[in-house]
Amino acid sequence: MADSSRGFVRDARGCRHWGPHGAAGLLLLRGPDLLLQRRSWRVHHGRTWSIPGGALDAGESPWDGARREFAEELGGLPVLRHLHTFVDDHGGWAYHTVVAEALEPFRPRRGDGEAAAHRWCSPAEVAGLRLHPGFAATWPDLAAGLDGLDGLDGLDGLGRRG
C-alpha cells in the first residue's frame, strides 16, 4: 500500500508543499518556554530551527499527525494538554501548528534522525535563531496568538513581558 502522506502538491498560489493532505507540527510549551528542534543537515532546509512536524496521512487529524511526528522525531511523547491549533492556510494546502503543554517532564531522545539538536527557549529567543523558512514566515502571527494562552499570560507577540 502506498504512503498517502508522500509527494509534493501545489497550493492556489503555485507554491510547492510536501504532503498532499497538509502537514502538522507540535509546538510544546513548558511554562513560558517552548521546545524547538534543529533540523538535520540531511533534510529539506537542514540546519534550521523549527518544530517537529511533517505531512499528514489521509484522514489523519492535525492533533494525531503532530503527535505522531513529534514522537518519531524526538523519540517519545509526554502527556499533553492541547491548548490551540493555528492554521496557516495556503489555499488548497495548510500547515497546522498544534500548541500543547507538557504535563510531565520531557527530555527529547534520539528519534528518526530528522532532528540534530533541540532546545527549550523563550519566545523572545526564537527570532534570533536561523529558522526554517516556513516557520519564520508564520512565527510573528503564531507568537502573537500565543499571548494569553495558559502559561504565557503577560507576553506580547514577540515574547516580551508586558
Side-chain angles (χ1 to χ4, degrees), residues 28-30 77-80 101-107 120:
L28 184 64
L29 304 179
R30 181 181 67 188
L77 185 70
V79 174
L80 301 171
E101 176 185 22
L103 298 179
E104 63 186 13
F106 177 73
R107 178 171 293 199
W120 291 96

Side-chain angles (χ1 to χ4, degrees), residues 2-4 15 52 61-62 65 68 72 89 102 104 108-109 115-116 127 129 138 162:
D3 183 347
S4 67
C15 298
S61 72
R68 174 183 50 78
E72 289 172 4
D89 190 345
E104 63 186 13
R109 299 184 305 270
L129 299 173
T138 60

